Amino acid sequence: MRDIFILTEQQLRECVSLDAAIVDVIESAFRALAGGKVVMPPILSMDIADANGEVDVKTAYIPDFDGFAIKVSPGFFDNPKLGLPSLNGLMILFSAKTGLVDALLLDNGYLTDVRTAAAGAVAARHLAPSGIRAVTVFGTGIQARLQVRAARLVRAFDKVHVWGRNPERAAACAGDIAESLGVDAVAVSDPGAAVADSQLVITTTPAREPLFRAEWLHPGLHVTAMGSDQEGKNEIDPAALRDADLYVCDRLAQAEKLGELRSARAAGYLGDVSPPELGAVVVGDHPGRKDDRQVTICDLTGTGAQDTAIATHANQVARAAGLGNVIRA
Amino acid sequence: MRDIFILTEQQLRECVSLDAAIVDVIESAFRALAGGKVVMPPILSMDIADANGEVDVKTAYIPDFDGFAIKVSPGFFDNPKLGLPSLNGLMILFSAKTGLVDALLLDNGYLTDVRTAAAGAVAARHLAPSGIRAVTVFGTGIQARLQVRAARLVRAFDKVHVWGRNPERAAACAGDIAESLGVDAVAVSDPGAAVADSQLVITTTPAREPLFRAEWLHPGLHVTAMGSDQEGKNEIDPAALRDADLYVCDRLAQAEKLGELRSARAAGYLGDVSPPELGAVVVGDHPGRKDDRQVTICDLTGTGAQDTAIATHANQVARAAGLGNVIRA
């Protein structure tokens, strides 16, 4: 019999939010990835076609972290018809010394939302030009909102363009961004014009055909593409990866299977290079952006290292705050 | 906010035990595997060399089952020095319709022990000769005890030979088997002589060099090898797989990577055949043993389908018995 610590989504929302501290926590995961001692196996992925569902399991062991997380992320895309969210899941934190269950983080995907957005902030901090006036975001969901909020933790823009297939949702998303960040945020119908006005573009869609055109690249632009995390997804025109001055991914082994790199290579580009990972840029092993005129692209597929980092952090801050329940099992 | 049902190891022990009902539950998993509609991705496996640990994640979707389990099995082999068990873990049961967490089964590996032994009973039921007088078990741990108990659910032997590297542990294991089953069970120092006297042999060790010699095969013998579940493990002399009349595995894609089949193929045997799976024998797609003189071998690596089957069953019987705790998350 041992005590297992249980945190609900509500308790996690009380003690973990998308702020500068979380960006540093996630940045530490990328630093660790650059160190070469992280153990991060391929994602376990299972399709449940009968229910239009899928489930992914991610994990990573990071040396010097007390625990490692196993994250289970189901996505069941008929759920909205039942009034339920498509995305769910939980994280389990295990002791890295004994393998015993330390904590169950019943977050319904909340920590994934936060750590995914925080990775966008890390990318923007290390790759976006220093001066950003306007941002364009593709997509109108939770990540569209959170990615813009994350970017604002590291860059001081005051204009946001929101593009989505559904104009009403784009307007609602822009309204939420304007209200929460106090910036001028508007839905746009011409994404090319919005990109031309922007120094940072963030794509957050599940697109299977490119939305972002290569001809939209312009000097002084950084693009973070975080939508593609599965074979078959593709937000960015492969020629844009060819034309950019620098392409960076979160994890090469994942990006070449699940990210924009997969589509670019299928189109015949970047076949002869081994692109740098974000961690290498963070720790300075790769120079990253050389000047404010360069064009850079960062491809985020989502890593188990981020999950281990945020789960470890959430466990610590929740315990310190006296939150959570204990079950003897 | 939803209700999540939580079961502790103690509660699971109250409502799930190794009995005929569980053997049928696990047999249903093998039937489903034979049907070809189970989705069972490769095992996610992570080594944590710093702590002499590893963690495996298994899952499977079985059509017509309400849920699917994700099982996390850590093995940290320095734990005994700390007074802790090496093996642990939990299962999470998700709705196969919505992907929502249905139940957390904090079993510390108990359900794995039971479903692993039950697979041995399924193998013995369908592959062992009809008349068994004596059984030899290799290994002295929990699976040595449980596998013999499982075999006795399907065959009426009254003699058990226990062989282990450590004679004291073998004697203790034999004592436990004798007491729990009311059979004549003794520790043996000559495993070849024990096998010669037996019609069923069960190997339950983490051996990395074969313990069971090919020359011990004799007419009317069935061998179930359940120890090898990782690259590098090997209990059975590869020549025994070559010499047996029939070799059956639980899941071909796993056995060729993790089971005895891996070693046999590395030795140059069975390279030209696609061996039948246990499920095919269960449903009658493969004839299995043809007569009581044949020599058969069954190689069990452990499948996610068994985990989904036992987790679904445990959830049902625990709820029916009014056991468990509910947390709103």
PDB file of all heavy atoms in Angstrom, chain A residues 118-141:
ATOM      1  N   ALA A 118       3.452  26.588 -24.711  1.00  0.00           N
ATOM      2  CA  ALA A 118       4.733  27.048 -24.155  1.00  0.00           C
ATOM      3  C   ALA A 118       5.883  26.737 -25.109  1.00  0.00           C
ATOM      4  O   ALA A 118       6.847  27.514 -25.204  1.00  0.00           O
ATOM      5  CB  ALA A 118       4.973  26.411 -22.787  1.00  0.00           C
ATOM      6  N   ALA A 119       5.795  25.618 -25.834  1.00  0.00           N
ATOM      7  CA  ALA A 119       6.837  25.309 -26.822  1.00  0.00           C
ATOM      8  C   ALA A 119       6.840  26.358 -27.929  1.00  0.00           C
ATOM      9  O   ALA A 119       7.903  26.716 -28.460  1.00  0.00           O
ATOM     10  CB  ALA A 119       6.624  23.917 -27.407  1.00  0.00           C
ATOM     11  N   GLY A 120       5.657  26.862 -28.270  1.00  0.00           N
ATOM     12  CA  GLY A 120       5.585  27.952 -29.239  1.00  0.00           C
ATOM     13  C   GLY A 120       6.311  29.194 -28.735  1.00  0.00           C
ATOM     14  O   GLY A 120       6.990  29.889 -29.501  1.00  0.00           O
ATOM     15  N   ALA A 121       6.168  29.457 -27.440  1.00  0.00           N
ATOM     16  CA  ALA A 121       6.885  30.602 -26.864  1.00  0.00           C
ATOM     17  C   ALA A 121       8.392  30.387 -26.917  1.00  0.00           C
ATOM     18  O   ALA A 121       9.155  31.323 -27.199  1.00  0.00           O
ATOM     19  CB  ALA A 121       6.428  30.841 -25.422  1.00  0.00           C
ATOM     20  N   VAL A 122       8.824  29.166 -26.649  1.00  0.00           N
ATOM     21  CA  VAL A 122      10.265  28.872 -26.713  1.00  0.00           C
ATOM     22  C   VAL A 122      10.769  29.086 -28.139  1.00  0.00           C
ATOM     23  O   VAL A 122      11.834  29.690 -28.361  1.00  0.00           O
ATOM     24  CB  VAL A 122      10.558  27.430 -26.233  1.00  0.00           C
ATOM     25  CG1 VAL A 122      12.028  27.069 -26.437  1.00  0.00           C
ATOM     26  CG2 VAL A 122      10.150  27.266 -24.769  1.00  0.00           C
ATOM     27  N   ALA A 123       9.994  28.612 -29.108  1.00  0.00           N
ATOM     28  CA  ALA A 123      10.380  28.793 -30.514  1.00  0.00           C
ATOM     29  C   ALA A 123      10.451  30.278 -30.860  1.00  0.00           C
ATOM     30  O   ALA A 123      11.402  30.739 -31.498  1.00  0.00           O
ATOM     31  CB  ALA A 123       9.393  28.070 -31.429  1.00  0.00           C
ATOM     32  N   ALA A 124       9.432  31.040 -30.449  1.00  0.00           N
ATOM     33  CA  ALA A 124       9.414  32.470 -30.766  1.00  0.00           C
ATOM     34  C   ALA A 124      10.561  33.201 -30.066  1.00  0.00           C
ATOM     35  O   ALA A 124      11.216  34.069 -30.651  1.00  0.00           O
ATOM     36  CB  ALA A 124       8.070  33.078 -30.359  1.00  0.00           C
ATOM     37  N   ARG A 125      10.830  32.836 -28.815  1.00  0.00           N
ATOM     38  CA  ARG A 125      11.912  33.488 -28.065  1.00  0.00           C
ATOM     39  C   ARG A 125      13.248  33.331 -28.785  1.00  0.00           C
ATOM     40  O   ARG A 125      14.026  34.280 -28.860  1.00  0.00           O
ATOM     41  CB  ARG A 125      12.002  32.878 -26.661  1.00  0.00           C
ATOM     42  CG  ARG A 125      13.122  33.436 -25.819  1.00  0.00           C
ATOM     43  CD  ARG A 125      13.256  32.647 -24.525  1.00  0.00           C
ATOM     44  NE  ARG A 125      12.360  33.129 -23.488  1.00  0.00           N
ATOM     45  CZ  ARG A 125      12.094  32.479 -22.346  1.00  0.00           C
ATOM     46  NH1 ARG A 125      12.632  31.288 -22.123  1.00  0.00           N
ATOM     47  NH2 ARG A 125      11.289  32.996 -21.447  1.00  0.00           N
ATOM     48  N   HIS A 126      13.496  32.139 -29.330  1.00  0.00           N
ATOM     49  CA  HIS A 126      14.820  31.845 -29.874  1.00  0.00           C
ATOM     50  C   HIS A 126      14.913  32.015 -31.381  1.00  0.00           C
ATOM     51  O   HIS A 126      16.024  32.027 -31.916  1.00  0.00           O
ATOM     52  CB  HIS A 126      15.248  30.430 -29.469  1.00  0.00           C
ATOM     53  CG  HIS A 126      15.483  30.304 -28.009  1.00  0.00           C
ATOM     54  ND1 HIS A 126      16.661  30.693 -27.414  1.00  0.00           N
ATOM     55  CD2 HIS A 126      14.662  29.898 -27.008  1.00  0.00           C
ATOM     56  CE1 HIS A 126      16.573  30.498 -26.106  1.00  0.00           C
ATOM     57  NE2 HIS A 126      15.369  30.024 -25.832  1.00  0.00           N
ATOM     58  N   LEU A 127      13.772  32.129 -32.067  1.00  0.00           N
ATOM     59  CA  LEU A 127      13.841  32.158 -33.528  1.00  0.00           C
ATOM     60  C   LEU A 127      13.157  33.363 -34.166  1.00  0.00           C
ATOM     61  O   LEU A 127      13.516  33.737 -35.294  1.00  0.00           O
ATOM     62  CB  LEU A 127      13.235  30.872 -34.104  1.00  0.00           C
ATOM     63  CG  LEU A 127      14.094  29.618 -33.877  1.00  0.00           C
ATOM     64  CD1 LEU A 127      13.284  28.360 -34.165  1.00  0.00           C
ATOM     65  CD2 LEU A 127      15.359  29.665 -34.747  1.00  0.00           C
ATOM     66  N   ALA A 128      12.183  33.973 -33.507  1.00  0.00           N
ATOM     67  CA  ALA A 128      11.480  35.101 -34.123  1.00  0.00           C
ATOM     68  C   ALA A 128      12.384  36.336 -34.114  1.00  0.00           C
ATOM     69  O   ALA A 128      13.274  36.457 -33.270  1.00  0.00           O
ATOM     70  CB  ALA A 128      10.178  35.386 -33.375  1.00  0.00           C
ATOM     71  N   PRO A 129      12.148  37.250 -35.049  1.00  0.00           N
ATOM     72  CA  PRO A 129      12.902  38.509 -35.012  1.00  0.00           C
ATOM     73  C   PRO A 129      12.659  39.208 -33.679  1.00  0.00           C
ATOM     74  O   PRO A 129      11.648  38.971 -33.005  1.00  0.00           O
ATOM     75  CB  PRO A 129      12.311  39.323 -36.171  1.00  0.00           C
ATOM     76  CG  PRO A 129      11.487  38.395 -36.974  1.00  0.00           C
ATOM     77  CD  PRO A 129      11.152  37.220 -36.132  1.00  0.00           C
ATOM     78  N   SER A 130      13.578  40.085 -33.334  1.00  0.00           N
ATOM     79  CA  SER A 130      13.448  40.729 -32.018  1.00  0.00           C
ATOM     80  C   SER A 130      12.252  41.676 -31.975  1.00  0.00           C
ATOM     81  O   SER A 130      11.569  41.758 -30.955  1.00  0.00           O
ATOM     82  CB  SER A 130      14.741  41.467 -31.676  1.00  0.00           C
ATOM     83  OG  SER A 130      15.121  42.296 -32.758  1.00  0.00           O
ATOM     84  N   GLY A 131      12.011  42.375 -33.074  1.00  0.00           N
ATOM     85  CA  GLY A 131      10.894  43.316 -33.078  1.00  0.00           C
ATOM     86  C   GLY A 131       9.711  42.757 -33.847  1.00  0.00           C
ATOM     87  O   GLY A 131       9.812  42.498 -35.047  1.00  0.00           O
ATOM     88  N   ILE A 132       8.621  42.548 -33.161  1.00  0.00           N
ATOM     89  CA  ILE A 132       7.424  42.025 -33.818  1.00  0.00           C
ATOM     90  C   ILE A 132       6.294  43.007 -33.574  1.00  0.00           C
ATOM     91  O   ILE A 132       6.003  43.358 -32.431  1.00  0.00           O
ATOM     92  CB  ILE A 132       7.057  40.631 -33.259  1.00  0.00           C
ATOM     93  CG1 ILE A 132       8.102  39.621 -33.720  1.00  0.00           C
ATOM     94  CG2 ILE A 132       5.660  40.221 -33.705  1.00  0.00           C
ATOM     95  CD1 ILE A 132       7.782  38.208 -33.361  1.00  0.00           C
ATOM     96  N   ARG A 133       5.686  43.467 -34.652  1.00  0.00           N
ATOM     97  CA  ARG A 133       4.531  44.364 -34.500  1.00  0.00           C
ATOM     98  C   ARG A 133       3.227  43.591 -34.610  1.00  0.00           C
ATOM     99  O   ARG A 133       2.268  43.859 -33.907  1.00  0.00           O
ATOM    100  CB  ARG A 133       4.565  45.453 -35.586  1.00  0.00           C
ATOM    101  CG  ARG A 133       5.775  46.393 -35.502  1.00  0.00           C
ATOM    102  CD  ARG A 133       5.743  47.438 -36.614  1.00  0.00           C
ATOM    103  NE  ARG A 133       5.571  46.827 -37.937  1.00  0.00           N
ATOM    104  CZ  ARG A 133       6.548  46.255 -38.646  1.00  0.00           C
ATOM    105  NH1 ARG A 133       7.784  46.206 -38.165  1.00  0.00           N
ATOM    106  NH2 ARG A 133       6.306  45.729 -39.828  1.00  0.00           N
ATOM    107  N   ALA A 134       3.188  42.639 -35.561  1.00  0.00           N
ATOM    108  CA  ALA A 134       1.926  41.924 -35.804  1.00  0.00           C
ATOM    109  C   ALA A 134       2.168  40.422 -35.934  1.00  0.00           C
ATOM    110  O   ALA A 134       3.225  39.977 -36.391  1.00  0.00           O
ATOM    111  CB  ALA A 134       1.260  42.449 -37.072  1.00  0.00           C
ATOM    112  N   VAL A 135       1.149  39.681 -35.527  1.00  0.00           N
ATOM    113  CA  VAL A 135       1.159  38.219 -35.579  1.00  0.00           C
ATOM    114  C   VAL A 135      -0.059  37.764 -36.383  1.00  0.00           C
ATOM    115  O   VAL A 135      -1.141  38.338 -36.239  1.00  0.00           O
ATOM    116  CB  VAL A 135       1.073  37.632 -34.147  1.00  0.00           C
ATOM    117  CG1 VAL A 135       0.881  36.114 -34.180  1.00  0.00           C
ATOM    118  CG2 VAL A 135       2.303  38.012 -33.339  1.00  0.00           C
ATOM    119  N   THR A 136       0.137  36.748 -37.222  1.00  0.00           N
ATOM    120  CA  THR A 136      -1.019  36.093 -37.842  1.00  0.00           C
ATOM    121  C   THR A 136      -1.107  34.672 -37.315  1.00  0.00           C
ATOM    122  O   THR A 136      -0.096  33.961 -37.282  1.00  0.00           O
ATOM    123  CB  THR A 136      -0.904  36.057 -39.377  1.00  0.00           C
ATOM    124  OG1 THR A 136      -0.918  37.395 -39.869  1.00  0.00           O
ATOM    125  CG2 THR A 136      -2.069  35.272 -39.996  1.00  0.00           C
ATOM    126  N   VAL A 137      -2.298  34.299 -36.897  1.00  0.00           N
ATOM    127  CA  VAL A 137      -2.507  32.923 -36.451  1.00  0.00           C
ATOM    128  C   VAL A 137      -3.519  32.254 -37.373  1.00  0.00           C
ATOM    129  O   VAL A 137      -4.541  32.849 -37.728  1.00  0.00           O
ATOM    130  CB  VAL A 137      -2.935  32.875 -34.964  1.00  0.00           C
ATOM    131  CG1 VAL A 137      -4.273  33.572 -34.718  1.00  0.00           C
ATOM    132  CG2 VAL A 137      -2.985  31.435 -34.458  1.00  0.00           C
ATOM    133  N   PHE A 138      -3.189  31.032 -37.799  1.00  0.00           N
ATOM    134  CA  PHE A 138      -4.087  30.203 -38.595  1.00  0.00           C
ATOM    135  C   PHE A 138      -4.762  29.215 -37.647  1.00  0.00           C
ATOM    136  O   PHE A 138      -4.090  28.490 -36.924  1.00  0.00           O
ATOM    137  CB  PHE A 138      -3.317  29.423 -39.667  1.00  0.00           C
ATOM    138  CG  PHE A 138      -2.843  30.276 -40.820  1.00  0.00           C
ATOM    139  CD1 PHE A 138      -1.794  31.169 -40.666  1.00  0.00           C
ATOM    140  CD2 PHE A 138      -3.448  30.173 -42.066  1.00  0.00           C
ATOM    141  CE1 PHE A 138      -1.359  31.957 -41.728  1.00  0.00           C
ATOM    142  CE2 PHE A 138      -3.014  30.949 -43.138  1.00  0.00           C
ATOM    143  CZ  PHE A 138      -1.971  31.854 -42.967  1.00  0.00           C
ATOM    144  N   GLY A 139      -6.092  29.204 -37.701  1.00  0.00           N
ATOM    145  CA  GLY A 139      -6.842  28.329 -36.805  1.00  0.00           C
ATOM    146  C   GLY A 139      -7.569  29.160 -35.767  1.00  0.00           C
ATOM    147  O   GLY A 139      -7.173  30.295 -35.475  1.00  0.00           O
ATOM    148  N   THR A 140      -8.624  28.583 -35.210  1.00  0.00           N
ATOM    149  CA  THR A 140      -9.491  29.360 -34.319  1.00  0.00           C
ATOM    150  C   THR A 140      -9.821  28.603 -33.040  1.00  0.00           C
ATOM    151  O   THR A 140     -10.773  28.951 -32.330  1.00  0.00           O
ATOM    152  CB  THR A 140     -10.813  29.690 -35.052  1.00  0.00           C
ATOM    153  OG1 THR A 140     -11.444  28.457 -35.421  1.00  0.00           O
ATOM    154  CG2 THR A 140     -10.561  30.512 -36.297  1.00  0.00           C
ATOM    155  N   GLY A 141      -9.050  27.577 -32.747  1.00  0.00           N
ATOM    156  CA  GLY A 141      -9.337  26.749 -31.575  1.00  0.00           C
ATOM    157  C   GLY A 141      -8.549  27.198 -30.353  1.00  0.00           C
ATOM    158  O   GLY A 141      -8.012  28.313 -30.295  1.00  0.00           O
TER     159      GLY A 141
END
